[in-house]
């Protein structure tokens, strides 16, 4: 605003000066013309008649450069000439004025030029009172100063308001944040501040708290689950060893009991190995990715797993063709994914059940579908079966065939491979797991 006002003020004063100078030049020209036309010397009686034709707003003073005295003046304000005699004398020292000079003295604008009269050179000054213009400029300057002053007050008031609003918001955030601890992680930061950036900051902090709370709950659940799962085998190892130590046994008895302890330790070891998969950084895993002929890999896996179907006389049909479709991945990890899914299809199948493995190929992905005619999954549990340690109640009570970690590892590894997992199941009829992976 200050810049705009200064600009307006500057341009207005420039324009005023320009138009006054133009008028002075015109008046000077008229004056010169009258003298030339009539060829009149500065005889007071005659000149006055002619100068009556010159606009009343202008004064004219003619100096003799030799004597440096005014030979003629047509002005009401003679005091101006006498008061500024020294300045004017200095100005007219330059006898050969090549072009007109414009100058401002106090409230008067002057044009100084030379004129010839009867072969004698004179210096003449046309004067215009510009105090009216100045008062116009002064009024403008006054308005400008008032506006400037008002804008400073307005800015000060506004900045003060904004700042106090922001500071209030920051204080409230600090207070709320100080009170949020592990026990009340569900509380959120609130504010009475209307400032938009404070609201955005609070929204971001609250979203972060949501994520922290979710991770906190997951870590707690995970720790609970891990300790619960590890407690059972450790307790059973402990009691088995205590029984062993309580009395002497034969070598065969020791061998049999130590074998059982080894089974428990292997079970524990298996769980720990599986849990370690979750601690690996997905980016580190991605570094080992290479192109894999996925259907080829699953055909091999089916042949290898067929032996497990004999006990329940399950028919495993692998309807895949090795047509060279490739995905980017870590082969041992992807083998683990399909090994888990096929072994579940066997484990949760009925006697004489069926397992069918087929593929769906699109332009950008390949889907591998594993369908079984097993026990199926309760509708309300379908979403939960990929949660770590989740097992359906029906299988929980039966013999220790799994840890409830298999599908959570499958889902995690599919995510690492930028794929998706779709599960469909009808209790008592069977299940279908489809894994989609991006093609190279
Ligand atoms: P685990 O098999 O070790 O119990 P998983 O994570 O592999 O753990 O499976 C979690 C649960 O999902 C299983 O306990 C079982 O209840 C259910 N489930 C998994 N696959 C199938 C399937 N093909 N048919 C029926 N239920 C299944």
């Amino acid at each position: 605003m200050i810049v705009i006002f200064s600009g307006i003020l500057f341009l207005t004063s420039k324009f005023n000066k320009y138009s006054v100078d133009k008028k002075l030049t015109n008046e000077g020209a008229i004056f010169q013309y009258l003298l030339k036309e009539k060829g009149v010397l500065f005889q007071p009686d005659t000149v006055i008649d002619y100068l009556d034709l010159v606009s009343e707003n202008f004064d004219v003073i003619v100096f003799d450069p030799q004597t440096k005295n005014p030979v003629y003046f047509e002005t009401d304000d003679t005091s101006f000439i006498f008061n500024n005699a020294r300045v004017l004398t200095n100005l007219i020292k330059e006898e050969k004025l090549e072009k007109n000079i414009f100058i401002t003295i106090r409230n008067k604008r002057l044009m100084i030029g030379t004129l010839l009269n009867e072969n004698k050179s004179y210096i003449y000054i046309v004067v215009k009172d510009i105090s009216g213009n100045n008062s116009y400029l002064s009024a403008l300057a006054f308005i400008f100063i008032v506006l400037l002053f008002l804008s400073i007050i307005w800015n000060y008031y506004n900045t003060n308001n904004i700042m106090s609003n922001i500071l209030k918001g920051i204080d409230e955030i600090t207070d709320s944040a100080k009170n949020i601890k592990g026990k009340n992680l569900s509380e959120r930061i609130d504010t009475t501040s209307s400032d938009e950036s404070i609201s955005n900051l609070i929204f971001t902090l609250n979203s972060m708290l949501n994520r922290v709370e979710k991770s906190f709950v997951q870590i707690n659940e995970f720790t609970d689950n891990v300790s619960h799962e590890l407690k059972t085998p450790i307790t059973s190892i402990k009691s088995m060893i205590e029984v062993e130590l309580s009395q002497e046994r034969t070598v065969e008895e020791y061998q049999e009991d130590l074998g059982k302890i080894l089974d428990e330790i292997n079970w524990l070891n298996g769980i720990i190995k599986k849990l370690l998969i979750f601690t690996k950084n997905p980016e580190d895993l991605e570094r080992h990715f290479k192109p894999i002929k996925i259907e080829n890999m699953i055909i091999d896996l089916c042949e290898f797993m067929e032996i497990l179907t004999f006990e329940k006389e399950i028919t495993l049909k692998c309807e895949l063709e090795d047509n060279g479709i490739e995905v980017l991945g870590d082969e041992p990890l992807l083998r683990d994914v399909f090994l888990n899914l096929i072994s579940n299809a066997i484990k949760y199948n009925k006697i004489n059940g069926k397992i069918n493995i087929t593929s769906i190929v699109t332009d950008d992905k390949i889907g591998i579908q594993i369908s079984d005619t097993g026990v199926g999954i309760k509708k309300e549990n379908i979403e939960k079966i990929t949660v770590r340690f989740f097992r359906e109640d029906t299988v929980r009570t039966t013999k220790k065939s799994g840890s409830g970690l298999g599908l959570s590892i499958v889902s995690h590894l599919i995510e690492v491979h930028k794929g998706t997992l779709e599960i469909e199941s009808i209790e008592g009829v069977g299940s279908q797991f489809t894994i989609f992976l991006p093609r190279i």
Side-chain angles (χ1 to χ4, degrees), residues 155-173:
N155 270 344
Y156 175 76
Y157 175 76
N158 242 4
T159 319
N160 231 10
N161 244 1
I162 293 170
M163 282 314 288
S164 66
N165 210 358
I166 291 176
L167 288 176
K168 192 170 115 205
I170 292 175
D171 282 349
E172 284 169 349
I173 292 175

Side-chain angles (χ1 to χ4, degrees), residues 229-282:
E229 291 299 317
L230 298 187
K231 210 169 95 191
T232 320
I234 287 175
T235 314
S236 94
I237 291 171
K238 184 176 172 261
S239 43
M240 278 196 270
I241 293 173
E242 277 168 356
V243 171
E244 286 313 294
L245 292 174
S246 64
Q247 63 182 76
E248 250 190 50
R249 285 158 201 275
T250 62
V251 174
E252 290 76 28
E253 279 173 335
Y254 273 129
Q255 275 179 342
E256 194 191 328
D257 293 344
L258 283 176
K260 283 182 195 159
I261 293 172
L262 190 64
D263 279 351
E264 288 297 324
I265 290 172
N266 283 340
W267 166 254
L268 261 181
N269 204 19
I271 292 186
I272 291 165
K273 265 192 187 161
K274 284 176 183 171
L275 286 175
L276 284 176
I277 292 182
F278 292 108
T279 62
K280 285 191 182 150
N281 183 355

